[in-house]
Amino acid sequence: MYNNKGRYALMAVFIAAALVCLYYEHYQLAALAAFLFGFTIWSHFRHSSVLMASKHFKNNEFGKAQLLLDEVRSPERLAKSRRGYYEFMKGNMALKEEEWDKAEYHFQLASRFPVGGKTQKGYVLIHLANLALRKKDKERAEAYVKLAKELAETARSKDIIVKIEKELNRL
């Protein structure tokens, strides 16, 4: 759970340790340091700073979360378990900035990846239904609501779905 600068510092320490171990002919320790260097690189591409960003996101520190999410250069390289959270947070950030098309794009991607439990996936679909309702696309909104109903477990999500359905009936 490091940001990019922390990971780069850790990689430098592992390289330095490997070089020192090679100098003193401790080849097994040098191999271990090289392995840890490789693991850090793998972690950098597969997990990046998404976990730290989610911590800030849950604490309503959206500026810090946005900075950490911006460190992800290639979201397509993220592990499936991280990609869903990444897209979910980016979609919510876009909603806060009232960038509806961008939010829809990120929520569409988040719906294709694991985002947690049924409740989280339900909220992704609720956001998509709400965005479709905003565009007055009744068919898509109804489809999202139908899927969200199947996943809704909390009273709050069920209440939101009822409100969306009332708005759909007005269209």
Side-chain angles (χ1 to χ4, degrees):
M1 188 162 77
Y2 297 101
N3 62 0
N4 283 355
K5 289 180 183 177
R7 240 184 237 104
Y8 296 148
L10 198 58
M11 285 189 252
V13 167
F14 290 141
I15 287 175
L19 292 173
V20 168
C21 290
L22 285 174
Y23 179 77
Y24 288 108
E25 298 178 3
H26 295 290
Y27 300 116
Q28 291 173 338
L29 289 175
L32 178 64
F35 171 76
L36 292 173
F37 173 77
F39 179 77
T40 306
I41 290 176
W42 174 83
S43 171
H44 176 68
F45 288 111
R46 299 296 287 174
H47 299 284
S48 195
S49 305
V50 175
L51 189 60
M52 287 179 66
S54 69
K55 178 182 169 189
H56 291 297
F57 185 80
K58 288 177 184 175
N59 293 333
N60 293 327
E61 299 170 346
F62 301 116
K64 292 179 182 178
Q66 185 66 43
L67 289 173
L68 289 168
L69 290 175
D70 289 342
E71 288 183 357
V72 180
R73 291 187 189 140
S74 302
E76 61 276 353
R77 289 185 180 169
L78 290 172
K80 286 183 181 180
S81 60
R82 297 287 185 239
R83 180 79 187 268
Y85 284 112
Y86 171 83
E87 297 297 346
F88 180 72
M89 287 185 286
K90 291 292 274 188
N92 277 304
M93 303 273 187
L95 278 180
K96 291 197 181 311
E97 296 170 3
E98 298 182 359
E99 295 178 3
W100 314 123
D101 291 332
K102 189 176 175 183
E104 184 178 12
Y105 171 77
H106 287 294
F107 284 127
Q108 284 285 348
L109 286 173
S111 70
R112 295 182 184 124
F113 294 98
V115 185
K118 284 177 142 181
T119 305
Q120 290 294 97
K121 189 69 110 176
Y123 279 116
V124 169
L125 294 169
I126 287 170
H127 282 302
L128 286 168
N130 209 357
L131 289 166
L133 187 64
R134 180 178 291 281
K135 291 182 175 181
K136 302 198 184 316
D137 188 350
K138 189 173 181 177
E139 291 178 20
R140 285 179 62 189
E142 287 174 344
Y144 289 134
V145 166
K146 182 181 175 187
L147 291 171
K149 272 185 177 178
E150 296 172 8
L151 299 174
E153 294 179 337
T154 64
R156 181 175 178 232
S157 61
K158 290 176 183 177
D159 185 45
I160 294 170
I161 290 171
V162 168
K163 288 178 183 177
I164 292 173
E165 286 178 325
K166 285 180 184 177
E167 289 295 321
L168 280 172
N169 290 333
R170 290 181 191 167
L171 285 181

